[in-house]
């Protein structure tokens, strides 16, 4: 282990005598060669950590396997083609999920694991898709732009778990009604004020209660207040100008030496 500038570099090697093929699972003890992998790890004392790990490549003894050779992986530390260790990769994914691309990238510079926003986005996209539940009881419906002003789709969210369930390629009542017809467990549909979603929810889930989400409730309230003020504008009177109030004289004055009474 050594320090180079603001980085801590750790050189290590594996001593495994056998490894399992990642494709067929056959264990091999025939060493083909070795090579050095370089990857970033979580910071040590606020300094960037770089691992120089020498691993072995094995022959696969299965003649029916498509892989002739394969490289060993260190459990909990390396993955195939990974430039970041498993702990650092998990940390960056958590930062990306919590803060997004640009803000998360700025935070990584303070954690001695600097990456750009596109790296965080790629790490998020590499995460496995969550397994959807059998049928949400509270369904959130909203639109999103595939091409702003031209093409819109529909995103469906399980409000209880706050996870997306499905995405529809269009914004129409027919698409939403078709999706809801096969899911009788939906009891509440939380939607915006679009008429197509209201019609689709009514036809596809007549047993469900339709409610507005929080943002549209505030929007409805704001619109109602604005209409009321506009309607009664003639009843509003200008307030008289505020009377000037003379400030009382201070009971003490400030001098270079401090405060003293008059």
């Amino acid at each position: 282990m050594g320090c180079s500038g603001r980085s801590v570099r750790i050189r290590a090697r594996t001593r495994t005598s056998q490894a399992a093929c990642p494709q067929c699972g056959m264990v091999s003890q025939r060493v083909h060669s070795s090579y050095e992998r370089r990857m970033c790890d979580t910071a040590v004392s606020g300094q960037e950590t770089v691992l120089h790990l020498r691993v072995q490549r094995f022959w696969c003894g299965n003649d029916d396997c498509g892989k002739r050779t394969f490289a060993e992986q260190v459990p909990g530390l390396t993955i195939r083609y990974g430039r970041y260790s498993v702990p650092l990769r998990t940390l960056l994914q958590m930062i990306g999920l919590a803060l997004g691309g640009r803000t998360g990238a700025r935070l990584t510079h303070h954690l001695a694991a600097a990456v750009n926003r596109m790296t965080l986005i790629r790490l998020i996209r590499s995460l496995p898709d969550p397994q959807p539940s059998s049928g949400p009881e509270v369904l959130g419906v909203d639109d999103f732009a595939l091409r702003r002003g031209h093409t819109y789709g529909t995103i469906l969210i399980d409000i209880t778990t706050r996870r997306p369930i499905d995405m529809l390629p269009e914004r129409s009542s027919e698409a939403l009604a078709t999706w809801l017809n096969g899911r009788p467990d939906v009891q509440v549909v939380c939607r915006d004020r679009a008429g197509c979603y209201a019609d689709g929810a009514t036809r596809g889930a007549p047993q469900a209660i339709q409610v507005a989400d929080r943002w549209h409730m505030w929007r409805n309230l704001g619109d109602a207040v604005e209409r009321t003020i506009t309607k009664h504008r003639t009843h509003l009177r200008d307030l008289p100008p505020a009377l000037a109030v003379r400030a009382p004289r201070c009971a003490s004055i400030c001098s270079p030496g401090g405060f003293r009474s008059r």
Side-chain angles (χ1 to χ4, degrees):
M1 183 177 68
C3 294
S4 177
R6 299 179 60 182
S7 300
V8 175
R9 299 184 178 272
I10 301 176
R11 300 185 181 274
R13 64 179 305 167
T14 62
R15 295 185 177 180
T16 54
S17 58
Q18 60 184 15
C21 176
Q23 182 166 328
C24 66
M26 177 174 288
V27 177
S28 175
Q29 297 181 350
R30 296 176 56 195
V31 178
H32 175 272
S33 59
S34 64
Y35 69 100
E36 184 177 272
R37 295 185 60 177
R38 187 176 67 177
M39 67 186 66
C40 297
D41 198 8
T42 52
V44 174
S45 298
Q47 291 182 304
E48 179 187 27
T49 304
V50 181
L51 299 179
H52 295 262
L53 181 63
R54 180 162 291 276
V55 297
Q56 300 181 99
R57 182 177 293 275
F58 291 84
W59 290 98
C60 181
N62 187 1
D63 296 335
D64 298 330
C65 181
K67 282 186 171 295
R68 299 190 59 185
T69 63
F70 62 91
E72 63 174 331
Q73 303 296 332
V74 180
L77 181 63
T78 65
I79 60 174
R80 294 183 63 193
Y81 307 114
R83 299 178 59 185
Y84 306 102
S85 65
V86 172
L88 179 58
R89 185 183 183 91
T90 303
L91 176 63
L92 294 177
Q93 288 173 341
M94 294 175 61
I95 293 175
L97 290 173
L99 301 177
R102 297 183 185 275
T103 307
R106 289 195 293 267
L107 177 61
T108 60
H109 285 74
H110 298 281
L111 299 178
V115 296
N116 56 37
R117 63 183 182 90
M118 295 307 301
T119 299
L120 291 179
I121 294 175
R122 284 194 296 268
L123 290 174
I124 293 175
R125 290 176 175 174
S126 67
L127 290 171
D129 294 333
Q131 296 296 328
S133 57
S134 57
E137 295 184 359
V138 183
L139 178 69
V141 182
D142 203 353
D143 59 356
F144 67 96
L146 294 169
R147 183 183 177 191
R148 182 175 291 274
H150 295 82
T151 307
Y152 288 86
T154 301
I155 184 170
L156 305 175
I157 300 175
D158 187 346
I159 300 298
T160 304
T161 61
R162 299 183 179 182
R163 289 186 175 182
I165 302 174
D166 203 350
M167 298 176 66
L168 306 180
E170 59 183 8
R171 180 178 58 180
S172 65
S173 59
E174 291 79 8
L176 179 59
T178 302
W179 191 90
L180 288 172
N181 282 332
R183 295 166 176 83
D185 296 335
V186 177
Q187 301 298 323
V188 179
V189 176
C190 182
R191 59 173 180 83
D192 59 11
R193 299 185 296 178
C196 62
Y197 291 152
D199 181 62
T202 302
R203 292 191 299 163
Q207 78 285 353
I209 301 174
Q210 299 185 35
V211 299
D213 57 33
R214 183 184 305 173
W215 187 89
H216 287 92
M217 289 183 63
W218 281 108
R219 179 66 180 272
N220 292 343
L221 177 60
D223 292 346
V225 171
E226 184 177 0
R227 289 194 300 267
T228 303
I229 293 177
T230 303
K231 182 178 179 180
H232 299 281
R233 178 176 297 177
T234 57
H235 298 82
L236 299 178
R237 297 179 302 175
D238 294 334
L239 296 177
L243 298 177
V245 180
R246 177 181 296 182
R249 298 185 64 180
C250 186
S252 61
I253 60 174
C254 180
S255 64
F259 289 96
R260 60 183 178 87
S261 301
R262 295 193 63 177

